[in-house]
């Protein structure tokens, strides 16, 4: 299976910084970026939204999630469409934890996260293993191809110069836990630390290049 997604699995500290900006801080973001955020938020997939409205699908309601892997893949499909609302509905943001090699990445997956993520990156996920492995739990193994924006999403001329237009690979295996409403509450992934850092560095460098307030630049 091949899909395009950002399944809550980017540990870029820059994402967290921007996602936690107050309304006043966000008002200082250049107009071209603000317009990009608005356009991203309006991108919709009616069919996917109907399936995940409020984070609940009628077929999945009950004392447990009847098909965790189906719910997870549905969320990834929402992300593939750059659908902020639908993608967010696939996570219980107040309880979600993402681990990378056993370390908590301290990321909050909510609409603010997706608004920024969809401007920065797209990810092709080549899944080579997927299965339910227990109550409310599934296993997924994949090769993640991360492509950074060419700058156009921020109103800049298209470029392939670093950090723009970069293509990076991540080889990962995740054990995913969902709640009884089939929303993800834990993404426990294993993969190469350098591959993860390369993506984080690109994301942070883009935010620094476009002058996002509150981002630590080196």
């Amino acid at each position: 299976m091949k899909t395009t997604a950002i399944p809550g699995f980017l540990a870029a500290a820059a994402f967290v910084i921007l996602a936690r900006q107050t309304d006043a801080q966000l008002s200082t973001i250049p107009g071209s970026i603000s317009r990009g955020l608005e356009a991203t938020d309006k991108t919709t997939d009616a069919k996917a939204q109907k399936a995940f409205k409020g984070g609940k699908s009628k077929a999945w309601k009950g004392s447990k999630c009847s098909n965790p892997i189906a719910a997870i893949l549905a969320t990834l499909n929402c992300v593939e469409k750059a659908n902020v609302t639908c993608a967010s509905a696939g996570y219980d943001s107040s309880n979600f934890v993402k681990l990378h090699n056993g370390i908590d990445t301290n990321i909050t997956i909510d609409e603010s996260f997706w608004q920024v993520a969809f401007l920065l990156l797209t990810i092709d996920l080549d899944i080579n293993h997927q299965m339910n492995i227990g109550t409310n739990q599934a296993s997924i193994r994949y090769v993640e191809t991360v492509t950074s924006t060419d700058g156009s999403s921020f109103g800049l001329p298209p470029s392939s110069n670093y950090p723009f237009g970069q293509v990076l690979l991540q080889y990962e295996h995740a054990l995913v836990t969902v709640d009884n409403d089939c929303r993800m509450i834990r993404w426990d992934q294993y993969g190469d630390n350098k591959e993860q850092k390369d993506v984080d560095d690109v994301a942070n460098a883009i935010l620094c290049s476009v002058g996002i307030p509150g981002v630590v630049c080196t």
Side-chain angles (χ1 to χ4, degrees):
M1 174 183 176
K2 187 172 185 177
T3 184
T4 303
I6 303 184
F9 12 97
L10 295 175
F15 285 4
V16 180
I17 293 170
L18 185 57
R20 292 177 180 173
Q21 299 293 326
T22 64
D23 290 341
Q25 288 173 310
L26 286 174
S27 68
T28 67
I29 294 176
S32 60
I33 299 174
S34 297
R35 288 191 294 273
L37 288 170
E38 292 171 1
T40 299
D41 197 30
K42 291 178 181 177
T43 303
T44 59
D45 177 342
K47 185 175 181 181
Q49 274 200 331
K50 183 177 180 180
F52 250 112
K53 188 175 182 181
K56 300 179 182 180
S57 168
K58 183 177 180 180
W60 292 329
K61 279 187 176 182
S63 59
K64 66 179 182 179
C65 180
S66 63
N67 194 343
I69 193 64
I72 293 163
L73 295 179
T75 298
L76 300 190
N77 182 62
C78 292
V79 178
E80 178 182 15
K81 305 298 184 183
N83 186 326
V84 172
T85 302
C86 184
S88 301
Y91 294 79
D92 178 355
S93 61
S94 62
N95 293 308
F96 180 76
V97 175
K98 180 212 167 179
L99 303 175
H100 178 74
N101 292 339
I103 298 175
D104 189 344
T105 60
N106 294 310
I107 281 186
T108 299
I109 305 295
D110 55 16
E111 291 195 3
S112 296
F113 173 89
W114 290 121
Q115 287 174 336
V116 179
F118 292 148
L119 289 178
L120 288 170
L121 307 169
T122 59
I123 298 177
D124 291 326
L125 202 66
D126 290 318
I127 300 173
N128 51 54
H129 162 81
Q130 59 187 54
M131 68 179 295
N132 293 319
I133 58 174
T135 301
N136 289 6
Q137 193 170 54
S139 171
I140 181 171
R141 187 174 61 236
Y142 51 90
V143 179
E144 190 176 343
T145 302
V146 181
T147 305
S148 64
T149 177
D150 63 2
S152 58
S153 60
F154 291 95
L156 301 175
S159 173
S160 59
N161 294 327
Y162 187 91
F164 300 104
Q166 302 301 297
V167 179
L168 306 165
L169 296 179
Q170 295 179 303
Y171 296 83
E172 297 174 342
H173 182 197
L175 301 179
V176 187
T177 304
V178 300
D179 63 15
N180 290 342
D181 290 324
C182 298
R183 297 174 301 174
M184 284 186 272
I185 57 174
R186 183 182 178 93
W187 186 283
D188 187 359
Q189 74 178 39
Y190 293 86
D192 185 81
N193 287 331
K194 184 180 184 304
E195 293 174 354
Q196 187 75 46
K197 185 176 184 301
D198 287 345
V199 173
D200 294 347
D201 289 347
V202 163
N204 197 76
I206 293 172
L207 293 176
C208 288
S209 295
V210 299
I212 296 296
V215 178
V216 177
C217 303
T218 58

